[in-house]
Every structure is written in C-alpha cells, then in structure tokens.
Amino acid sequence: MQAQFEAHIQDQFPFLKEGKALVACSGGLDSVVLAHLCKQAGMDIALAHCNFKLRGDESDGDEEFVGELGQTLGVEVHKKSFDTVNYAEKNRGSIQMAARQLRYDWFEELMETQGFQYVLTAHHADDALETFLINLSRGTGIDGLSGIPAQNGNVVRPLLPFSRQQILDFAQKEHLEWREDSSNEDTKHLRNKIRHQLVPTLKELHPTFLQNFGATQEHLRHSRSLISNYMDSVRLNLLEEREGEIRINIENMLQLHPLESHLYELFKEYGFVVWEDVKALSKAASGKELHSKTHRLLKDRSHLILSQNEITVKQKYWIAEEESLVKFPVPLKFEYADSIENSSSQVVFVDKEKLNYPLLLRKWEKGDYFYPFGMQGKKKLSKFFKDEKMDVFSKERQWLLCSGDTIVWVVGRRLDERFKVEATTQQILKISLLV
C-alpha cells in the first residue's frame, strides 16, 4: 500500500511533497495509517489532535496516544481541547456539527499561525460509500451523490482510493497500534448503522462492489462537470451584473426547460434551494422578496434582482468642515471652485455659506422630502424614488448628504434647490462622488 500511496500522491497531489502539511489525527486506525504513510513518503508533516471531551477518560487517552505517536514518528504534535457540548448548545446545533466547526476553525488557525499549507484527513473509500448512502436517504441531488471531494481548498484527502480493509491490512502488516472509539459501535447513529448493517450486505452482492461504486461516483462527477459547464453558458446569457446586483429577466428565465432543475442550479449557490419559492416569486407582485442567509431576491417588474445581504452597523456618518476627502460609506471629495463647471449627478456645486457643519451622511427615512434642483416646490423622497424607478435595493443603498435636518444632495442623483449657487454666492463648494 505504501507504494500505491506514493504513486497516488505523485499523480494527484505532487504539491504535498513540497509543502508543509497538518495531518488530522484522532488516534484511530485511519488517521494513524495516514500519518505513517505520509512520514514514510518523506512528507513534511505535523499531527493535529482535537479532544472534544465527549468520552471522558477515553478522550483523554486518545490525546495521550497521539502525543506518543508524534514522538514515535519524530513529528510535532498540536493538541487542543474543546467544550463541545457547551458550544453546540450555544449555537443550537448538533454535537457532530459543533465538533466539525471547532475542528476546522482550529485547523485554519494553525495554518495561519504555524505556516502549514494543507490539512490532510483520512477519509477513505468506505467513508465515501457511507456518505453517498446518507445523502441518498435524504433525497439529495447530484452534488450530494458525487462523493467526498479529494481536495477542497487546502483540505486534501489522499486516502479516498483506498478501502477500510486495505488500511487495516497495512496496519496489521506494519504492526501499528491505534485507538478504538467505542462510540463508533453505537448503531443509534445513522452512519454507524449504515457502516455495520447495510454496507456489509452490499459488499456481499458483488466482490468488487466498492470498486464499482467508485467508478459510478467518477461518472457522477463527470456529469456534474458537464452540468456546471452548461450552467455557465446559461448564466452568461441570462444573468446581468449591474452595480453589485444581478438582474434576471423573468420571461427568459421561465422559458428554461426543465424549469425546476434550472432554477435550482441558478440560485443554489446564493442559498435559494427551494425552486418552487423562486418560481412563485417570479409571478408575485413587484416588491416581494425572498431571503437566504447570504442573499436577497427581489421581484421588480419584469426582473428578479439578486443582491447580497447588507448588515449596516452604522447608518449615520458626520463630516467635519476641514475634511476634504471621505472614503466611507461613499467616496466624496470636497474642494473649493472659482466657478460652476459642468455639473452632473456625480458632481454638484453648492453655496458653502448655506451649509451648517458638521454635515451628515445618512440613509433615507420615511417622511423625508427635499426641493429637487431645477423644480418648484418640495417633493417626498418616496415619490422621487418612484419617479426614478428605483427598486427596493437601490433605495436602501441610497445615501443623503444633509446640513442639519435638511437634505443637501441625494448623493449621485439630485441636488437640493435651496443650496444651489446664486449670483450672491461668495464661496462655491464642489462636491464629487468618486466612482
């Protein structure tokens, strides 16, 4: 197996021979074998062990064992204990998800602080089969059936081509020692039930069942790649990016066939995985929205508008008289001018003496009004926005430059008539929106 492992590394992950890798080591059979294979292959590794404090003395024994394994291999060992139960309760998640989050957060920290380029985990072919069956039982799509990725960013899984039996045979041949996790025998957990009750039966069906399954997953990954390439062309023709938003023509979108599959593929990466909701939104009244954890989807007349969720911690920003350049929340430049040049929506000229400092940048509020430049009388901002055909997202992003309670400029759109330069103006202030 050592020769097969090294050939696999050379073929698929040659960069591991040059980099510094962290081997996630629980002390169990799989991770112990991975550590030995990497060391014998001449790779620069260290071990990382998480003590989740879930099995009392057994967990502490695992930690001690990994420390001794590091001494045997002559490699550095990083160890950390976690209050996993408390973390899970605090974040309202399962123990398994809490452990995963804690583990990978710590691995990321070690990579940043200790100079590791990669994290190696000991997932193997049997793990891939178990994950496939779990996802199959949950009704997942092709993504969930395509298998555990051999590489996901800096996380590499070099044992995926090898079976649990191959790993066990290697360990016994090399007279290796490892720890057994008693919780792996508890069939109340779905994965353990599949591992101990379903997988052995499936392997009895055909002597090469695991290899055949691996070939099937490879076909699924190729199909996934074809779908991905096709969807790239669909996105190119359908999605229009504009000012940080994505606009989708509803009529064109509804012509896609089969519609449900297209909607799922188009919107899943933004957190919208229920295609029925997207279809319903496309037929809803303008102004209706859908929300995911990361994005918002708005119906606006003939389009759906997709944008990222924006968490605005602060809504008001003060500008002192001596400030000539403001970079946040919108880039503005203040400078004196001798005369009015070509004004536009991006550049306005105001009578400096009419301003009361500090100026204020803020978002619009219900009841706001101003006197649009070039018009007689006042106008509510809500009516101005409607006339400008601004969608909900554009309204929420709109900033107002104010002098006290009075709007000076609907930034990037319209100056207020009350602050315009007149014949009696002594100081002209030029304000530019830097884009």
Side-chain angles (χ1 to χ4, degrees):
M1 182 180 175
Q2 183 70 44
Q4 289 177 287
F5 176 80
E6 293 187 31
H8 176 58
I9 293 297
Q10 185 61 40
D11 182 51
Q12 297 296 322
F13 312 112
F15 51 83
L16 293 180
K17 300 285 288 185
E18 306 298 328
K20 185 179 179 183
L22 196 64
V23 176
C25 187
S26 66
L29 169 65
D30 307 330
S31 59
V32 167
V33 167
L34 176 60
H36 277 273
L37 288 170
C38 291
K39 180 63 177 178
Q40 292 179 38
M43 295 165 58
D44 184 4
I45 63 168
L47 307 184
H49 176 78
C50 301
N51 186 343
F52 295 111
K53 296 293 183 179
L54 297 174
R55 294 176 288 113
D57 292 341
E58 190 176 334
S59 292
D60 295 335
D62 292 345
E63 180 178 333
E64 183 178 350
F65 172 82
V66 173
E68 295 171 353
L69 174 64
Q71 292 180 356
T72 300
L73 294 175
V75 299
E76 187 179 16
V77 179
H78 299 271
K79 298 182 286 186
K80 188 166 184 176
S81 297
F82 300 96
D83 187 351
T84 312
V85 173
N86 182 58
Y87 182 89
E89 291 175 351
K90 183 178 179 180
N91 291 275
R92 299 181 180 180
S94 67
I95 293 293
Q96 292 78 11
M97 291 304 297
R100 175 183 172 79
Q101 187 67 49
L102 290 168
R103 176 168 62 246
Y104 281 100
D105 284 350
W106 181 50
F107 291 163
E108 187 70 29
E109 178 185 329
L110 285 174
M111 283 194 289
E112 290 179 1
T113 60
Q114 303 297 320
F116 294 102
Q117 286 85 45
Y118 308 101
V119 173
L120 310 185
T121 69
H123 294 90
H124 48 70
D126 288 74
D127 290 324
L129 174 57
E130 293 162 11
T131 300
F132 173 91
L133 294 171
I134 290 171
N135 289 338
L136 183 65
S137 71
R138 292 172 176 169
T140 188
I142 193 171
D143 288 337
L145 302 181
S146 299
I148 303 170
Q151 183 176 358
N152 186 8
N154 291 331
V155 179
V156 182
R157 302 176 177 93
L159 289 185
L160 277 179
F162 303 95
S163 68
R164 180 175 284 116
Q165 188 61 51
Q166 286 177 287
I167 292 170
L168 177 60
D169 290 345
F170 175 83
Q172 292 175 337
K173 179 182 177 182
E174 298 294 320
H175 305 290
L176 304 183
E177 295 182 356
W178 64 88
R179 297 275 294 180
E180 295 288 354
D181 184 343
S182 60
S183 66
N184 287 337
E185 303 301 318
D186 189 350
T187 55
K188 73 178 182 182
H189 301 300
L190 178 59
R191 182 176 290 275
N192 289 345
K193 184 173 290 187
I194 288 173
R195 176 178 301 168
H196 296 298
Q197 298 178 3
L198 182 56
V199 170
T201 302
L202 291 174
K203 289 182 177 179
E204 288 176 5
L205 296 175
H206 198 285
T208 59
F209 179 87
L210 196 58
Q211 293 94 315
N212 296 343
F213 163 73
T216 298
Q217 280 212 314
E218 186 66 18
H219 296 323
L220 287 172
R221 282 190 284 270
H222 291 163
S223 298
R224 174 71 264 176
S225 180
L226 286 173
I227 292 172
S228 179
N229 291 336
Y230 165 72
M231 288 306 302
D232 284 344
S233 67
V234 172
R235 292 186 185 94
L236 186 63
N237 293 322
L238 186 64
L239 307 186
E240 177 189 359
E241 292 193 33
R242 185 189 302 175
E243 298 179 354
E245 298 174 344
I246 296 176
R247 299 177 65 86
I248 304 104
N249 183 284
I250 293 174
E251 182 180 356
N252 293 340
M253 182 187 77
L254 294 179
Q255 291 177 2
L256 297 171
H257 182 77
L259 181 61
E260 55 269 26
S261 299
H262 280 85
L263 293 182
Y264 175 77
E265 291 292 336
L266 280 169
F267 295 103
K268 67 177 182 179
E269 66 182 282
Y270 307 110
F272 302 101
V273 295
V274 182
W275 67 267
E276 294 97 332
D277 291 346
V278 178
K279 182 179 179 181
L281 180 66
S282 70
K283 299 180 179 181
S286 288
K288 295 293 184 181
E289 298 182 25
L290 285 179
H291 294 259
S292 71
K293 290 183 178 179
T294 58
H295 286 77
R296 301 167 64 191
L297 191 60
L298 168 73
K299 168 69 179 293
D300 182 55
R301 300 177 180 85
S302 61
H303 286 76
L304 295 181
I305 303 177
L306 181 71
S307 71
Q308 284 189 319
N309 288 333
E310 294 185 9
I311 301 175
T312 306
V313 178
K314 187 178 178 184
Q315 293 283 341
K316 295 184 177 181
Y317 298 83
W318 301 97
I319 302 173
E321 186 171 1
E322 61 271 15
E323 289 187 75
S324 60
L325 182 64
V326 174
K327 294 183 178 181
F328 190 84
V330 285
L332 298 177
K333 183 179 181 181
F334 298 82
E335 55 188 328
Y336 290 106
D338 295 328
S339 61
I340 298 178
E341 304 165 8
N342 294 326
S343 60
S344 66
S345 61
Q346 309 295 314
V347 179
V348 294
F349 295 85
V350 303
D351 188 329
K352 171 72 162 46
E353 295 179 352
K354 295 177 181 178
L355 299 176
N356 292 317
Y357 285 90
L359 301 180
L360 171 65
L361 273 171
R362 66 169 175 85
K363 293 296 184 70
W364 78 284
E365 300 170 356
K366 187 175 181 180
D368 274 340
Y369 66 89
F370 78 128
Y371 289 75
F373 180 73
M375 294 179 60
Q376 296 294 322
K378 66 181 180 181
K379 191 172 192 176
K380 281 193 172 183
L381 270 182
S382 56
K383 180 65 167 59
F384 174 76
F385 291 159
K386 184 176 181 180
D387 292 343
E388 292 282 299
K389 293 183 170 53
M390 293 171 62
D391 57 62
V392 173
F393 296 154
S394 298
K395 295 175 188 176
E396 291 181 354
R397 287 197 303 270
Q398 182 63 57
W399 289 96
L400 307 176
L401 180 64
C402 302
S403 173
D405 295 329
T406 307
I407 295 173
V408 176
W409 185 24
V410 181
V411 178
R413 294 187 182 273
R414 198 73 163 265
L415 177 69
D416 189 290
E417 177 77 13
R418 293 168 291 182
F419 293 89
K420 71 179 182 180
V421 175
E422 299 178 300
T424 57
T425 298
Q426 298 297 312
Q427 285 186 310
I428 300 175
L429 184 66
K430 177 183 177 182
I431 310 174
S432 306
L433 175 61
L434 305 178
V435 293

